[in-house]
Amino acid sequence: MNARNSYGDIFAGHSRTRKPATPQVAAEKDLVVEDAATGFCGAVVGFERTYDGDFVRLEDAGRRTRLFAMREAAFLIDGRPVTLVRPAPQAQKPQRSASGSTKVDGLRARTALPSRIWVEGVHDAALVERVWGHDLRVEGVVVEHLEGLDNLADRLVEFEPGPGRKVGVLVDHLVTGSKEERLTQGLGPYVMVTGHPYIDVWEAVRPTAVGIDAWPRIPRGQDWKTGICDALGWGTPQDGWRRVYNAVNSFRDLEAPLIGAVERLVDFVTVD
């Protein structure tokens, strides 16, 4: 006769006599448990592996630590026996750069490409470096400032763009009918111009990042940065710039038009 039948395994004994399985609990850091044998109660602070197996280190309220063997049912949680096991290793998520791209650890900047990205002023260059600096070093792209868009034509004659020697130009206040639009037309296939609609690159920083509801409107004819600092009580334009620069930590602190404009330039100068 088969010992296994509709009544189960007759050699296993009655279910009331079988020892219940002890639940396994991952010994995550700071988990508080009690050693069943000694009554020592503490939080998990580490592990040690020895010839006699795995041990967990517990730290009590008095900052005293002790090692305990991670044996079956050796610990109590809320008075119930548990078996501590090492936590499963967690897959490390790739780190992101300030621009949102995958960060390259141990980066050594590539030799600079012949191609360049030009921006209008030092503040534009500083914010581009703040957010895209890691990406630019990975690609070997140098950012230079023009000290004003009026210098663009002369700089292009001097640079001589061509195959493998492209120029991407980031322009403030690039809107239909503007002076900036007129100065950046018909520059040839090896020059790409992108821009944002804001009067100054400061305005391309999200107001919430600098702790304001909105950027003030400054009357035409007044120096924009001076007007902004006066309206917000920021002191001098130098003081205001420090506020703006320190408020930017990643692409999330910038408005979408500036993000898109820079991303297109990086793609343009790095793709043959």
Side-chain angles (χ1 to χ4, degrees):
M1 177 179 177
N2 191 340
R4 295 184 182 274
N5 53 31
S6 59
Y7 299 103
D9 186 350
I10 63 175
F11 296 119
H14 196 280
S15 60
R16 285 177 296 182
T17 66
R18 291 199 296 270
K19 185 178 179 181
T22 304
Q24 292 187 341
V25 176
E28 302 285 355
K29 186 179 179 183
D30 296 329
L31 174 71
V32 176
V33 299
E34 179 184 347
D35 176 58
T38 66
F40 184 93
C41 185
V44 174
V45 293
F47 303 94
E48 288 192 21
R49 179 162 289 166
T50 73
Y51 67 91
D52 199 28
D54 283 342
F55 284 70
V56 62
R57 184 175 293 277
L58 303 181
E59 180 181 83
D60 69 5
R63 297 292 182 91
R64 294 171 298 180
T65 65
R66 289 180 58 181
L67 284 172
F68 297 93
M70 296 172 67
R71 298 195 173 97
E72 184 177 1
F75 302 92
L76 304 176
I77 294 180
D78 296 330
R80 297 185 178 184
V82 298
T83 299
L84 291 185
V85 296
R86 282 180 176 261
Q90 295 183 348
Q92 188 175 4
K93 294 182 179 179
Q95 291 185 313
R96 298 291 176 183
S97 70
S99 72
S101 66
T102 301
K103 191 172 183 179
V104 179
D105 291 326
L107 170 67
R108 284 190 173 185
R110 286 182 53 185
T111 302
L113 296 176
S115 299
R116 294 287 186 269
I117 290 177
W118 291 349
V119 298
E120 288 195 60
V122 292
H123 292 180
D124 306 75
L127 288 183
V128 169
E129 167 63 27
R130 183 86 159 170
V131 176
W132 286 274
H134 174 270
D135 305 42
L136 296 171
R137 285 186 287 277
V138 169
E139 299 292 349
V141 177
V142 174
V143 176
E144 300 172 345
H145 61 89
L146 292 166
E147 299 180 353
L149 195 60
D150 291 336
N151 296 320
L152 177 60
D154 290 340
R155 288 289 297 276
L156 287 174
V157 170
E158 180 184 345
F159 187 81
E160 297 181 347
R165 189 174 172 81
K166 300 177 182 178
V167 175
V169 186
L170 179 69
V171 178
D172 298 339
H173 197 232
L174 187 62
V175 295
T176 301
S178 66
K179 163 192 167 184
E180 289 78 9
E181 184 188 49
R182 292 193 299 273
L183 289 173
T184 55
Q185 290 181 335
L187 300 179
Y190 302 111
V191 179
M192 172 183 276
V193 177
T194 66
H196 55 77
Y198 309 110
I199 295 172
D200 188 276
V201 75
W202 288 22
E203 199 177 10
V205 177
R206 292 180 182 273
T208 53
V210 292
I212 60 176
D213 294 329
W215 287 101
R217 295 278 191 145
I218 305 303
R220 290 177 64 89
Q222 182 179 0
D223 179 72
W224 190 85
K225 289 187 174 75
T226 301
I228 287 293
C229 291
D230 289 344
L232 295 174
W234 281 1
T236 68
Q238 290 77 18
D239 297 326
W241 166 240
R242 282 192 289 270
R243 283 177 177 264
V244 173
Y245 181 76
N246 290 330
V248 175
N249 295 299
S250 78
F251 71 97
R252 294 181 179 86
D253 298 316
L254 301 177
E255 299 286 4
L258 176 60
I259 297 170
V262 176
E263 295 284 356
R264 290 195 298 277
L265 293 183
V266 173
D267 289 343
F268 176 73
V269 299
T270 56
V271 176
D272 292 332

